[in-house]
Amino acid sequence: MTPNSGLGCEGSVREKLKLKYGRRLVLQESGAVDSKSQRVKLSNGHFIPVLGFGTCAPPEVAKREALEFTPFAIEVGFCHIDCAHAYQNEEEIAQVIRGKIADGTVKREDIFCTSKLWLTSLRPELVRAALEKSQKNLQLDYVNLYIIHFPVALKPGDELSPKDENGKLIFDSVDLSHTWEVLEKCRDAGLTKSIGVSNFNHKPGLKYKPVCNQVECHPYLNQSKLLDFCKSHGIILVAYGALGSQRVKEWY
């Protein structure tokens, strides 16, 4: 599947969307596609839109610019809005979603909102509070999908990337199966419709298996083995950086 990035969008706006918010999501075909609405059925019966708008932007892009570009994305047909605590712009995204609901462009049920559990909140006792914080920031009673951002734990605290005096990341020791158990309880409590993972190469599932695994996937990194694994377990593979990705200095 390929993204239709020109969907009725002004040329200049299209270029801004591509350059500043270019991490569109393309779902690999590991699930049944509803051809009319272009959605894929998840293993728990819910549907996820084939094409999504990623709200991660480079550090040089001001958070307030989400207020400029995300409305265009919704207006041209993106109803899957991919957010995360780590992107630090969920409050701005909330303003856009509420505004588009208020002006009649979309209804809440039209929007598929994803958020992600960050590395500093993987301890079981921190999981629900982190989800509720994203809910509050997004001004939503529930998120459609909540996923573990990376299978790596960092020292809990307010810093997104806690480092020691030598500039090295401070890791934490967490059994992710216990993290997953709390996510299952959050799903049962109605805080999220579905739960999944991102950047994983194994399946942590207990009561509920992950409905998806969101990973970098494009022609230079086709993830064919991981896609086959996900297909064999009924897990949707969601691709970020589907048109190619940029190098983030902090991660190299």
Side-chain angles (χ1 to χ4, degrees):
M1 301 177 190
T2 56
N4 183 359
S5 58
L7 199 62
C9 196
E10 293 290 339
S12 60
V13 174
R14 186 188 313 134
E15 289 305 308
K16 289 180 180 178
L17 287 172
K18 182 169 67 175
L19 291 172
K20 295 189 176 183
Y21 290 86
R23 300 180 73 175
R24 286 111 185 248
L25 309 180
V26 180
L27 287 156
Q28 301 294 326
E29 293 188 67
S30 53
V33 179
D34 181 337
S35 59
K36 291 184 178 180
S37 59
Q38 288 298 296
R39 301 180 305 163
V40 173
K41 190 174 184 179
L42 300 171
S43 60
N44 62 359
H46 292 292
F47 285 84
I48 183 171
V50 168
L51 190 61
F53 182 70
T55 60
C56 178
E60 61 270 19
V61 177
K63 290 193 295 181
R64 66 178 180 275
E65 293 202 21
L67 296 172
E68 178 183 353
F69 299 113
T70 309
F72 283 110
I74 294 175
E75 288 166 9
V76 300
F78 288 92
C79 54
H80 178 186
I81 308 300
D82 185 79
C83 309
H85 170 71
Y87 302 164
Q88 296 290 281
N89 59 8
E90 288 185 327
E91 291 177 329
E92 287 75 16
I93 300 301
Q95 292 182 50
V96 173
I97 292 175
R98 300 313 302 177
K100 288 301 169 186
I101 292 175
D103 69 14
T105 301
V106 291
K107 299 177 181 178
R108 170 61 184 97
E109 55 267 31
D110 298 326
I111 294 292
F112 187 101
C113 186
T114 295
S115 189
K116 305 180 186 72
L117 179 67
W118 186 237
L119 288 62
T120 54
S121 297
L122 294 184
R123 291 186 184 181
E125 64 271 20
L126 301 177
V127 172
R128 178 163 179 153
L131 171 50
E132 290 176 336
K133 182 176 182 179
S134 281
Q135 278 184 293
K136 181 179 179 181
N137 289 342
L138 289 165
Q139 299 179 40
L140 298 174
D141 293 331
Y142 65 89
V143 294
N144 297 83
L145 175 62
Y146 196 59
I147 60 182
I148 299 175
H149 209 147
F150 284 92
V152 178
L154 295 179
K155 176 185 175 182
D158 295 331
E159 295 181 69
L160 287 177
S161 302
K163 296 178 181 178
D164 61 21
E165 62 276 10
N166 298 313
K168 302 295 184 181
L169 288 171
I170 305 175
F171 294 96
D172 196 20
S173 180
V174 176
D175 185 336
L176 292 180
S177 64
H178 296 157
T179 304
W180 189 257
E181 287 177 333
V182 181
L183 286 175
E184 292 176 334
K185 292 177 181 177
C186 289
R187 176 189 151 174
D188 288 340
L191 301 178
T192 179
K193 299 293 185 181
S194 303
I195 52 178
V197 297
S198 179
N199 301 299
F200 274 56
N201 59 12
H202 66 283
K203 181 168 68 73
L206 294 170
K207 180 180 178 181
Y208 303 129
K209 67 181 178 183
V211 299
C212 73
N213 184 15
Q214 185 181 128
V215 298
E216 181 178 350
C217 184
H218 45 73
Y220 297 102
L221 183 63
N222 64 31
Q223 301 282 17
S224 58
K225 291 183 179 180
L226 183 58
L227 176 57
D228 289 340
F229 174 84
C230 288
K231 283 183 177 180
S232 70
H233 289 83
I235 298 170
I236 296 296
L237 185 70
V238 182
Y240 68 78
L243 302 180
S245 64
Q246 63 186 23
R247 292 179 66 88
V248 180
K249 183 177 179 180
E250 186 173 346
W251 294 100
Y252 291 90

